[in-house]
Amino acid sequence: MSDLRDRRFERDVLACLPDVARFARSMAGDESDADDLVQETFLLAYRGYHTFRAGDEPRRWLFTICRHVFIRQRQRAARFSELDELGDPSSETMRAVYGHIAAQGDGSASRLDTMDLRPAIDGAIADLPLDFRIMVVLVDLEGLSYTEAAETLGVPVGTVRSRLYRGRRLLQEQLLTFARDAGLESATARDHAPTSGAL
Amino acid sequence: MTPSPIDCRTAAERLWEYLDHELPDGPLEELEVHLRACAECTPHFAFAARLLRDIRGARSNDRQTEGIQSRVLGALRAEGFMAAHS
Ligand SMILES: [Zn+2]
């Protein structure tokens, strides 16, 4: 490659390495698998740099490559092309709302309001099934719009919505369970606290 | 023109699109009118907004990338990559 193209590659494409590393990690789970995935992604990107169109967003171009590499490595293409039994986006949204209504009833919603969720959130995201995790990562963590996520993954926008909303609903359930358990713990601690004056 | 009134079900179905700024103008205006008047829907939106804030905050937990950066550079140099001075 010419020096100029290499310099452009460095400036536009290599600069996205932290984003790609994060994306790879969200798919691969394991850190060393993720590093292999990152390396392979940049090698392919370098070899295929001529297919990069001026005006393309480098980060999204890399995410697309990274996902292809991942699918090929894991030979999971079949799993990916099969659409799971997802509801339409509005019914997935309603399930989150109904979940909140239930949590308003048992008090976990208000407990969650006052809690620090950060310790629970990374694990909850990591536990999401892959298709939903990728959507949450692309839209919520990387800030892509629905359309951008759809183009990056080569799926219809409706699929982005359904998977994203399902992923968020699963996260909501996990975090509410976290809040409920924390509430139980403090209630148990209260029950076992020495009560002065008791017989 | 005043937006047509929507019911709570319709409002709730627009929850995520609203929080993601993906609602077109018309439906957005209908929803905002509903939320101003409806005390029952507002908590659902507040709850979901808080959840989204926390999910988005997970991004601050970035991993270190120096190690993989130099590995990638090494692999690219083996392919003839010239530019990186770092
Ligand atoms: Zn309402």
Side-chain angles (χ1 to χ4, degrees):
Chain A
M1 239 188 264
S2 75
D3 204 38
L4 179 68
R5 280 184 66 175
D6 277 9
R7 224 168 299 153
R8 203 174 293 141
F9 183 85
E10 180 177 25
R11 188 196 60 204
D12 297 338
V13 179
L14 261 183
C16 301
L17 191 138
D19 296 312
V20 175
R22 193 166 42 235
F23 183 57
R25 181 68 188 276
S26 75
M27 286 196 293
D30 172 64
E31 189 140 338
S32 96
D33 288 351
D35 285 357
D36 292 345
L37 189 52
V38 173
Q39 174 167 335
E40 187 63 20
T41 299
F42 278 96
L43 273 178
L44 274 185
Y46 185 65
R47 291 175 192 151
Y49 194 37
H50 56 283
T51 67
F52 182 81
R53 210 185 288 134
D56 277 353
E57 219 248 292
R59 197 171 58 132
R60 279 170 47 204
W61 181 63
L62 288 163
F63 287 163
T64 307
I65 296 173
C66 187
R67 184 168 160 280
H68 283 307
V69 172
F70 178 75
I71 290 173
R72 212 188 45 209
Q73 277 181 356
R74 301 295 171 99
Q75 299 178 322
R76 284 167 95 163
R79 205 195 105 104
F80 264 94
S81 59
E82 252 168 26
L83 277 190
D84 27 23
E85 288 294 313
L86 273 181
D88 60 89
S90 350
S91 63
E92 292 293 337
T93 305
M94 286 316 293
R95 292 177 75 171
V97 174
Y98 293 137
H100 177 235
I101 293 171
Q104 283 177 312
D106 72 13
S108 50
S110 57
R111 194 168 309 117
L112 194 138
D113 272 342
T114 59
M115 282 178 71
D116 179 10
L117 294 176
R118 275 170 303 180
I121 248 169
D122 288 333
I125 293 176
D127 285 346
L128 285 178
L130 186 62
D131 288 345
F132 309 133
R133 191 164 75 236
I134 289 178
M135 264 340 148
V136 167
V137 167
L138 287 182
V139 176
D140 290 336
L141 274 57
E142 300 296 338
L144 265 54
S145 70
Y146 295 174
T147 311
E148 289 169 340
E151 284 167 5
T152 301
L153 299 176
V155 300
V157 177
T159 305
V160 170
R161 289 171 205 263
S162 298
R163 290 187 190 171
L164 175 68
Y165 302 166
R166 170 73 65 90
R168 286 174 180 170
R169 202 252 307 160
L170 294 173
L171 284 177
Q172 172 180 311
E173 276 173 18
Q174 283 243 51
L175 295 169
L176 283 168
T177 305
F178 175 73
R180 225 167 273 139
D181 291 350
L184 282 181
E185 265 167 44
S186 61
T188 314
R190 222 170 24 247
D191 290 346
H192 291 282
T195 29
S196 56
L199 191 91
Chain B
M1 215 175 82
T2 46
S4 51
I6 55 170
D7 59 13
C8 288
R9 172 63 190 251
T10 306
E13 282 176 352
R14 294 179 188 172
L15 171 88
W16 293 128
E17 285 174 298
Y18 173 72
L19 295 174
D20 288 330
H21 308 289
E22 296 266 359
L23 268 185
D25 286 348
L28 173 65
E29 209 184 329
E30 291 166 358
L31 178 64
E32 284 175 338
V33 169
H34 181 90
L35 288 180
R36 274 199 294 275
C38 179
E40 282 179 297
C41 282
T42 319
H44 303 320
F45 281 72
F47 179 81
R50 193 264 153 125
L51 203 70
L52 263 195
R53 250 197 326 277
D54 282 333
I55 294 171
R56 289 175 182 148
R59 191 185 163 138
S60 54
N61 270 321
D62 279 354
R63 54 183 295 224
Q64 297 294 316
T65 51
E66 288 94 16
I68 179 61
Q69 175 121 24
S70 55
R71 220 185 107 181
V72 166
L73 279 176
L76 288 176
R77 287 207 183 92
E79 291 274 315
F81 178 67
M82 309 266 283
H85 33 263
S86 47

